[in-house]
Amino acid sequence: GELIIWKLHTTETGQAWKVLKNLSFHRKDVLDLQWSTDGAFLLSGSVDNSCIIWDVNKGSVLQILDAHFHYVQGVAWDPLSKYVASLSSDRTCRIYANRPTKSKGVEKMNYVCQHVITKAGQHSTDDSKSAKNHLFHDETLPSFFRRLAWSPDGSFLLVPAGSYKISSMSESINSAYIFSRKDLSRPALQLPGASKPVVAVRFCPLAFNLRESNSAGFFKLPYRLIFAIATLNSLYIYDTESVPPIAILAGLHYAAITDIAWSNNARYLALSSQDGYCTLVEFENDELGIPISLSGNKVSKDENKSPLVTKSEDMIIEASTNDKLVTAETKEPDKRKTEAETKDDETAINGSIAAESRLIEPERNEAESRKAEAETEDGKRTTNDSSDTAESRPMDLDRNEVDNRKIETEKIQGKQAQSASSRSTAIQNKPAKRRITPMAIDP
């Protein structure tokens, strides 16, 4: 429930971070936060169902937004400083607009709720019935995070945790929604097809030159923006010039993905996971495109002009079976690549994904080491330390090295070491397990 602001100081021995301020007002855990563009304010969301706007320079609470009825799991600050957005497990996304108030000639920031997005009407063959379904997952979503994000130019808002139904009788489709700045009252587009719920979205901080491809895009922008969408088990990378994703990464972690972040130069993309590992994705020079400046392209000059191309009256795109891009769920790590490649081939036949879609799989050695660590953490906590050590060793250790370790252990620990060594030898003689069920480790 506490935020700590650190400041970098230069000392005789180098540089050191020191605590500048402690911001304490939330009653429970903080799940997400974001700075304002000028760095003067901070927006935080908490398990106490509230958002707080902080004045960082004064170290005080500027405004409390407490309209949500459940955990606030994501917050986003408009780069043009007109809106803030929050997403909660109460199945609503709230958009707040800044309507400043004047007191003694001083203008004060004041955010007022302008839109509450929760349901959308569905197409129905029976005109007499107008059904509305929820747009977002409920509190049973197995994640504490629903991290939404504005585009760096402020032209649109990307929101995760979508659960969309084509009709009242159809199954829900996991998706992310795109809101146009022109109309934040309802989604303009949706990105369907994820096999698991979307938990975080992040925009690349740079804009890129148009590639002038012939693909029919939905965005009417003079440049390309790139964004990443993370589900519980996979990552999709899109740009605003093409419809299908430009890259798909699956099978990277054994537990749920929790967050993603871009480097400032767009060369790296980092993922974090509940399995205790981080993945760093590296892009080659100009692989994403040639960067350009956004300074002259802000949409603040003309907010009435939509950055999205209107395809129909109802801009929510209906999803079909061909829209499902990839299914990365699996219980057999050795078969991840085969299954994902099969689905990629099927999708290519349907025309949804071109050859630019890629799948990155971890190396076998890394997968084997993670399996051993997962088994050690989940399974054998009641055994003694020597048994844990023996069971966590890789199966392909050199036999002579194992014999040497057994001799040294016998000299120090006697009979206990002999029993541990015999268990180690027995484990090595067993064939490697072919199946493992990924599980999140309780922190």
Side-chain angles (χ1 to χ4, degrees):
E2 184 177 23
L3 303 179
I4 301 177
I5 308 298
W6 299 78
K7 186 176 181 180
L8 185 62
H9 294 267
T10 302
T11 62
E12 296 178 356
T13 58
Q15 294 179 329
W17 289 92
K18 296 182 181 179
V19 175
L20 178 64
K21 286 184 176 67
N22 291 64
L23 307 180
S24 300
F25 197 85
H26 280 296
R27 299 185 300 276
K28 295 182 181 179
D29 294 353
V30 176
L31 299 183
D32 198 14
L33 57 91
Q34 189 173 14
W35 291 89
S36 62
T37 306
D38 57 7
F41 303 97
L42 197 62
L43 175 65
S44 60
S46 170
V47 176
D48 62 15
N49 304 352
S50 71
C51 303
I52 293 181
I53 299 176
W54 304 84
D55 187 323
V56 177
N57 296 323
K58 296 180 180 179
S60 60
V61 175
L62 184 65
Q63 189 176 355
I64 301 176
L65 310 175
D66 57 357
H68 282 293
F69 298 100
H70 213 266
Y71 303 163
V72 179
Q73 299 181 331
V75 293
W77 200 301
D78 173 22
L80 305 182
S81 300
K82 182 176 180 180
Y83 301 103
V84 297
S86 61
L87 186 59
S88 169
S89 51
D90 64 4
R91 310 185 83 170
T92 65
C93 176
R94 291 180 177 266
I95 311 295
Y96 300 86
N98 185 18
R99 297 176 183 172
T101 59
K102 287 187 177 181
S103 177
K104 298 179 181 180
V106 179
E107 194 174 80
K108 184 180 179 181
M109 182 185 297
N110 179 43
Y111 280 91
V112 179
C113 186
Q114 181 170 305
H115 300 293
V116 180
I117 301 100
T118 179
K119 291 184 179 182
Q122 311 298 330
H123 296 290
S124 177
T125 55
D126 188 359
D127 296 335
S128 62
K129 296 180 180 179
S130 58
K132 286 191 175 183
N133 295 319
H134 283 281
L135 289 173
F136 303 102
H137 282 278
D138 59 17
E139 69 276 4
T140 61
L141 177 69
S143 174
F144 274 104
F145 312 111
R146 304 179 188 217
R147 289 172 168 150
L148 63 171
W150 291 89
S151 60
D153 62 351
S155 59
F156 54 91
L157 175 68
L158 187 58
V159 182
S163 177
Y164 181 73
K165 283 189 175 184
I166 300 175
S167 65
S168 58
M169 301 301 293
S170 62
E171 294 183 359
S172 297
I173 300 172
N174 294 312
S175 64
Y177 298 113
I178 298 177
F179 291 77
S180 168
R181 190 180 185 87
K182 180 182 177 182
D183 183 10
L184 294 170
S185 63
R186 63 173 184 169
L189 298 172
Q190 72 157 341
L191 302 173
S195 62
K196 294 287 185 179
V198 180
V199 296
V201 295
R202 286 287 185 265
F203 278 92
C204 178
L206 301 180
F208 301 89
N209 276 332
L210 293 174
R211 288 176 170 168
E212 298 180 354
S213 61
N214 295 324
S215 60
F218 293 100
F219 303 91
K220 191 176 182 180
L221 296 172
Y223 43 82
R224 291 171 56 244
L225 296 178
I226 295 177
F227 54 93
I229 294 179
T231 72
L232 288 171
N233 65 351
S234 57
L235 179 74
Y236 300 79
I237 301 177
Y238 288 86
D239 70 356
T240 55
E241 199 176 11
S242 58
V243 176
I246 60 177
I248 300 174
L249 292 80
L252 298 178
H253 290 276
Y254 281 92
I257 295 173
T258 55
D259 203 5
I260 47 180
W262 290 88
S263 63
N264 289 333
N265 60 2
R267 285 293 305 279
Y268 301 96
L269 178 63
L271 297 86
S272 61
S273 170
Q274 290 180 359
D275 61 12
Y277 288 88
C278 290
T279 294
L280 196 62
V281 181
E282 181 179 7
F283 300 95
E284 297 178 358
N285 288 333
D286 299 332
E287 183 177 1
L288 296 176
I290 301 174
I292 62 173
S293 173
L294 281 173
S295 57
N297 295 316
K298 295 285 187 180
V299 297
S300 57
K301 296 180 181 179
D302 187 7
E303 290 190 4
N304 293 326
K305 186 176 181 180
S306 175
L308 298 174
V309 177
T310 303
K311 293 295 182 180
S312 61
E313 293 182 358
D314 187 356
M315 295 179 69
I316 299 180
I317 300 175
E318 293 188 4
S320 64
T321 55
N322 293 340
D323 292 328
K324 296 186 178 180
L325 303 179
V326 69
T327 302
E329 180 182 8
T330 178
K331 292 186 178 181
E332 298 185 63
D334 292 339
K335 295 183 179 180
R336 282 178 175 170
K337 185 174 181 179
T338 303
E339 293 179 1
E341 287 179 349
T342 302
K343 291 188 178 297
D344 281 350
D345 292 340
E346 293 174 356
T347 314
I349 293 173
N350 293 329
S352 298
I353 297 180
E356 55 191 352
S357 300
R358 289 161 292 173
L359 179 64
I360 299 177
E361 184 195 15
E363 295 183 356
R364 184 178 300 275
N365 292 338
E366 182 181 355
E368 292 294 334
S369 62
R370 290 192 183 181
K371 283 198 288 184
E373 292 180 11
E375 290 176 357
T376 305
E377 289 289 335
D378 282 348
K380 314 295 183 181
R381 295 194 178 184
T382 58
T383 60
N384 53 39
D385 293 339
S386 60
S387 176
D388 287 339
T389 303
E391 293 180 358
S392 62
R393 292 174 183 165
M395 296 299 180
D396 57 351
L397 280 177
D398 186 78
R399 189 174 299 276
N400 294 331
E401 183 182 353
V402 175
D403 293 338
N404 293 335
R405 290 185 182 180
K406 285 197 292 182
I407 294 173
E408 293 177 1
T409 309
E410 288 173 0
K411 293 180 180 180
I412 298 174
Q413 298 181 354
K415 294 182 179 180
Q416 292 183 351
Q418 291 180 1
S419 60
S421 300
S422 62
R423 280 195 290 266
S424 176
T425 304
I427 291 174
Q428 291 175 9
N429 292 332
K430 291 181 179 179
K433 292 184 178 180
R434 303 297 297 174
R435 299 179 66 88
I436 183 171
T437 302
M439 296 180 62
I441 300 173
D442 187 350

